[in-house]
Amino acid sequence: MQWTLEQLRQFVLTADSGSFSEAARRLGRAQSAVSTAIGILEADLGLELFDRSRRNAQPTDAGALLLLEARELLRQAQSLDQRALSLSAGNEARLALALDEALPYSAVNTLVREIGERYPDLELTLLNGTATEVAEYVEQQRAQMAIHFVRGPISARFDQRHIGTVAQGLFAPGGHALTQCQPVQRTDLARFRQLILHADDIDETAFSPKVWRSDSFYSLAQMVADDLGWAILPVHIATEESYRQPLQQLDCPALGLPRLSVRVLWCQGWQPGATAQWVLARFTQLLR
């Protein structure tokens, strides 16, 4: 068969407009040219697409079925054009992004939604894990780049960029003895179990002789809610409403807790394309 996409466009427009003359007017062509194109299409397909015994261009039963196929083919052709334009503009065809599970959910959710709106043809893969795990995903080439909380130095195989910070604080379960003696002194903290983030043998500073460890901020927050100790946590995790009991932030001026640093890393030699650069710039904005 020798039919073309242009013939399909004329077929669809004729069916949508209800007449050959109206389709010709919208296309800026002579009615005879549209009628001839439809006639050639019918000859190629071996089917009558329109019932010419009627005044309006009414599709036959076969024409109505093929109209559905024609619309889908035109949709696919448009999608191909859009993807080609995106690739020619320097955008990646695929992007695998590894995200620290402790990053602010609202920022991540907004980022993913906007990627879908801005790059509808992008093949996106999202991998989630601890700060250590997402770095490993990049090293294993399962992801092109990772965004995570800084947990010590990185391998010389990576390049990195600082993109923002997240507030952290000292938290205990509501009603805990520490909540009754604010501001809290470091000697007060030493009386109770500290829950510490632990990954790759990198620990937070221990302010208590009694410690429990976990590689997940969410796990630590749940343990605080279960009255198992106090912990230093990202504020956005500690203030979620999903815990058995609310976590209360403690005031301890002596600790002088800095904000948690967030960075992006990728393997040396990889150059972020236009899409990846936009993702980094946008997430940097969302962390502010």
Side-chain angles (χ1 to χ4, degrees):
M1 295 183 181
Q2 303 298 316
W3 51 264
T4 66
L5 289 175
E6 182 57 31
Q7 287 174 312
L8 294 185
R9 291 189 184 94
Q10 294 183 52
F11 168 39
V12 171
L13 186 56
T14 299
D16 288 346
S17 62
S19 74
F20 291 96
S21 59
E22 178 61 20
R25 188 188 67 79
R26 294 184 185 181
L27 291 169
R29 299 183 181 181
Q31 178 179 335
S32 58
V34 174
S35 297
T36 299
I38 298 297
I40 294 173
L41 177 61
E42 290 176 319
D44 286 341
L45 296 174
L47 294 167
E48 287 190 358
L49 299 176
F50 292 100
D51 184 352
R52 288 172 174 76
S53 67
R54 302 187 179 187
R55 183 174 181 179
N56 294 329
Q58 181 70 34
T60 61
D61 290 344
L65 289 174
L66 291 181
L67 185 61
L68 299 175
E69 300 285 354
R71 293 189 195 278
E72 177 59 20
L73 283 172
L74 292 175
R75 185 199 64 77
Q76 292 179 14
Q78 183 180 26
S79 177
L80 186 149
D81 284 342
Q82 290 175 343
R83 179 163 291 193
L85 287 172
S86 177
L87 294 173
S88 66
N91 295 317
E92 291 91 339
R94 300 181 181 88
L95 181 63
L97 183 61
L99 298 171
D100 192 322
E101 63 184 4
L103 290 169
Y105 177 76
S106 60
V108 171
N109 187 49
T110 299
L111 176 69
V112 174
R113 185 180 67 253
E114 292 184 2
I115 290 174
E117 295 169 351
R118 187 180 182 92
Y119 304 102
D121 299 314
L122 176 69
E123 184 177 311
L124 178 66
T125 299
L126 296 176
L127 301 173
N128 295 281
T130 64
T132 300
E133 288 171 340
V134 297
E136 291 174 350
Y137 293 153
V138 174
E139 190 168 16
Q140 297 163 1
Q141 298 187 344
R142 295 179 58 191
Q144 289 144 299
M145 61 182 183
I147 301 175
H148 71 168
F149 286 112
V150 174
R151 294 291 295 163
I154 59 172
S155 166
R157 292 185 290 273
F158 294 127
D159 285 333
Q160 65 176 325
R161 182 188 304 169
H162 172 84
I163 61 171
T165 60
V166 171
Q168 63 176 336
L170 184 65
F171 290 89
H176 191 280
L178 287 172
T179 66
Q180 310 302 316
C181 56
Q182 299 215 55
V184 176
Q185 305 298 320
R186 290 179 58 166
T187 52
D188 298 322
L189 297 176
R191 295 163 47 207
F192 302 96
R193 181 188 295 124
Q194 181 180 359
L195 307 174
I196 292 181
L197 187 70
H198 172 85
D200 280 352
D201 298 324
I202 299 173
D203 279 333
E204 293 178 356
T205 301
F207 298 99
S208 170
K210 298 173 287 187
V211 297
W212 282 9
R213 297 178 174 85
S214 173
D215 66 354
S216 167
F217 277 125
Y218 281 100
S219 176
L220 293 177
Q222 188 59 62
M223 286 193 284
V224 173
D226 289 338
D227 203 8
L228 296 174
W230 61 269
I232 298 171
L233 300 167
V235 172
H236 66 274
I237 291 179
T239 53
E240 285 191 3
E241 298 180 354
S242 59
Y243 303 118
R244 184 174 62 85
Q245 64 172 318
L247 278 57
Q248 183 170 336
Q249 188 166 359
L250 306 175
D251 178 23
C252 185
L255 290 190
L257 294 176
R259 293 174 66 87
L260 291 169
S261 182
V262 179
R263 69 183 170 199
V264 58
L265 58 82
W266 59 83
C267 288
Q268 286 188 7
W270 181 72
Q271 294 297 322
T275 303
Q277 291 180 26
W278 179 88
V279 168
L280 295 181
R282 182 61 180 128
F283 199 67
T284 300
Q285 293 175 339
L286 292 170
L287 287 177
R288 292 175 183 166

